[in-house]
Each structure stands twice: as C-alpha cells, then as structure tokens.
C-alpha cells in the first residue's frame, strides 16, 4: 500500500461521492458548525489504462456540512442557492485519475485532473438525485458529468445505500487519459455503500462499486479491462 500525495490525501476518490451525498443531508440550523463525519481509511481504485501501481491509497474520510460549505469525500464546494429539495452548488473534485503507464511506449505520466463545475444534490423521500457538470482546468481540458440515483435502506445498526449512475467523459478527456481520439465516453456504474454504527459516535464505512467501461475506452490499446472495481473501508467519527 502506498501513502497518498498532497492531492490524494484530500479525498477518497470520485467513486464514493454518491454514497456520501446520500447520507450527508444538510441541516438548516447548523450555522458554520461541522455536521457530519471525519475519519480515515484505505481505498483501492485502479485506472482504466494499464498503469504502474495498484491504485491502493491511505486516505482521509471527509463527509460533512459546515454552513454553506461541504465535503463529500472527494467532492468539495459551496451551496450557492436553494433549489427544489436541495441547492445549486459550486463544485470541485479531487480525482485520482492521473497515472504512469506500465509501458514506456504508452507515453509519459498523466496528471490528475482539476475539475471545476456546478451541480445539485436533491434529497427526496424516494432517494437522492445528483447531477454535476465539470470542466477540467488541468492538462486534459475536457468536460465531465455525473448523474446518480441512490436509495437508503436502514437495517438496525447497519444502513445500506445502493446506487445507480453514469459518468460522461468528453473526447478531450478520453484522448488524454485513455489514448483514444475523437470520441466521448459514457460509463454506467452500480455501487453499494454500507455504514455500520460501531457505538457512540463511531462508524465503519465500506463501499463496493463496479463501473462498465464504454466501448470507446475499451478500444484503446492502453486499456486491458472491460470493468473497473473500486473498494473502500474507513472508520469515522460523527460530529453533530
């Protein structure tokens, strides 16, 4: 296991944002007080391209609101205005999508993206809906979008959060990270996040997620897989 660098230490990975968004509901009376979870864990998130290293990192676990500011594991931002059952939000994400190809013939190191965008999280009686759009101000210069639906299934000390969603990546993003020119990609995914109350204010968090790679990405000579599986285990303390 390797220790995360400065950017990676700020987030678990984009794969966990939907689960965090679902159960980190905002409170109208919290002011600037932290309301949510802070902890640490281990995350395994391979890249689509064949890369050096296994993508396993030690990470912080941040999932809280503090007035208009929020952290949802890999997503950070500020709530700009109320909208429906949530708000319009100014967002950034810490995506550990940079990598060094396993073969020198595949080119040099790809840097992590630096996405900035707008989005909304709508927490309703039938589940959570999330829609975010970003522009990568980093090396790729591409655009990204994420759409997710998540449900909440309480079971005593254990709560399950099944999720379904899709990630859109523009042609510029796909060209830089996957080596395919002229084509965008949409990757559907399914995940199951579990939160177990350990006692007092302590919680154990775990996530399993599978992403099905778009045919455009699978056609790249850099890519040797059809799916991506991500796993997370973290322990957190809940502030109220």
């Amino acid at each position: 296991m390797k220790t995360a660098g400065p950017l990676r230490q700020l987030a678990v990975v984009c794969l966990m944002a939907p689960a965090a968004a679902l159960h980190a509901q905002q409170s109208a009376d919290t002011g600037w007080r932290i309301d949510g979870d802070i902890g640490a864990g281990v995350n395994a998130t391979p890249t689509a391209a064949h890369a050096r290293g296994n993508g396993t990192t030690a990470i912080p676990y941040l999932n809280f609101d503090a007035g208009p500011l929020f952290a949802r594991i890999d997503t950070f931002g500020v709530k700009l205005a109320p909208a429906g059952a949530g708000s319009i939000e100014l967002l950034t994400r810490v995506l550990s999508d940079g990598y060094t190809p396993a073969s020198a013939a595949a080119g040099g190191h790809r840097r992590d993206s630096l996405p900035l965008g707008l989005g909304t999280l709508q927490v309703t009686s039938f589940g959570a809906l999330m829609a975010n759009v970003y522009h990568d101000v980093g090396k790729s210069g591409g655009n990204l979008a994420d759409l997710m639906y998540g449900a909440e299934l309480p079971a005593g000390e254990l709560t399950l959060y099944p999720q379904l969603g899709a990630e859109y990546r523009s042609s510029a993003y796909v060209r830089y990270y996957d080596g395919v020119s002229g084509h965008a990609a949409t990757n559907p995914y399914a995940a199951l996040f579990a939160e177990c109350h350990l006692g007092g204010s302590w919680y154990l968090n775990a996530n399993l997620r599978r992403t099905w790679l778009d045919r455009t990405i699978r056609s790249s000579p850099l890519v040797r897989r059809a799916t991506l599986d991500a796993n997370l285990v973290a322990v957190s303390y809940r502030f109220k």
Side-chain angles (χ1 to χ4, degrees):
M1 181 182 73
K2 64 181 180 180
T3 301
L7 281 178
R8 294 173 186 264
Q9 289 179 337
L10 292 176
V12 173
V13 285
C14 62
L15 304 178
M16 282 300 304
L22 182 60
H23 67 89
Q25 300 184 26
Q26 68 186 72
S27 168
D29 301 319
T30 58
W32 289 88
R33 172 173 59 86
I34 291 179
D35 183 14
D37 300 345
I38 296 178
V42 176
N43 189 70
T45 53
T47 59
H50 188 45
R52 299 179 186 175
N54 58 13
T56 300
T57 55
I59 45 81
Y61 183 87
L62 305 174
N63 178 27
F64 60 82
D65 290 303
L69 304 180
F70 63 84
R72 296 179 190 142
I73 302 182
D74 74 328
T75 303
F76 303 86
V78 58
K79 300 165 188 174
L80 300 178
S87 56
I88 300 299
E89 301 166 342
L90 178 64
L91 305 165
T92 185
R93 295 183 69 181
V94 180
L95 298 181
S96 298
D97 44 10
Y99 67 95
T100 300
S103 170
H109 179 75
R110 271 67 164 180
R111 299 178 183 175
D112 286 344
S113 60
L114 297 171
L116 294 174
L118 293 172
T120 185
L121 169 64
Q122 302 289 315
V123 181
T124 72
S125 59
F126 57 86
L129 297 170
M130 184 190 76
N132 298 330
V133 293
Y134 304 91
H135 176 69
D136 178 16
V137 299
K139 189 70 174 179
S140 82
N143 299 314
L144 307 91
D146 291 290
L147 182 66
M148 179 279 298
Y149 167 76
E152 180 179 4
L153 303 175
E157 298 298 310
L158 179 69
T159 304
L160 300 177
Y161 299 90
Q163 308 144 43
L164 293 173
E167 310 166 333
Y168 168 82
R169 304 296 184 252
S170 74
S171 58
Y173 184 95
V174 173
R175 179 174 63 251
Y176 180 71
Y177 287 103
D178 303 303
V180 180
S181 298
H183 297 281
T186 300
N187 305 318
Y189 66 84
L192 180 64
F193 181 80
E195 176 186 84
C196 181
H197 185 207
L198 298 177
S201 297
W202 292 95
Y203 290 81
L204 175 67
N205 312 285
N207 186 73
L208 299 173
R209 168 170 159 160
R210 167 158 288 191
T211 300
W212 288 268
L213 298 176
D214 187 281
R215 181 173 59 182
T216 294
I217 296 176
R218 299 198 310 269
S219 70
S220 169
L222 302 181
V223 176
R224 299 182 181 179
R225 63 182 80 209
T227 61
L228 284 177
D229 292 324
N231 305 284
L232 165 78
V233 177
V235 175
S236 63
Y237 182 88
R238 179 157 299 171
F239 295 83
K240 296 181 180 180

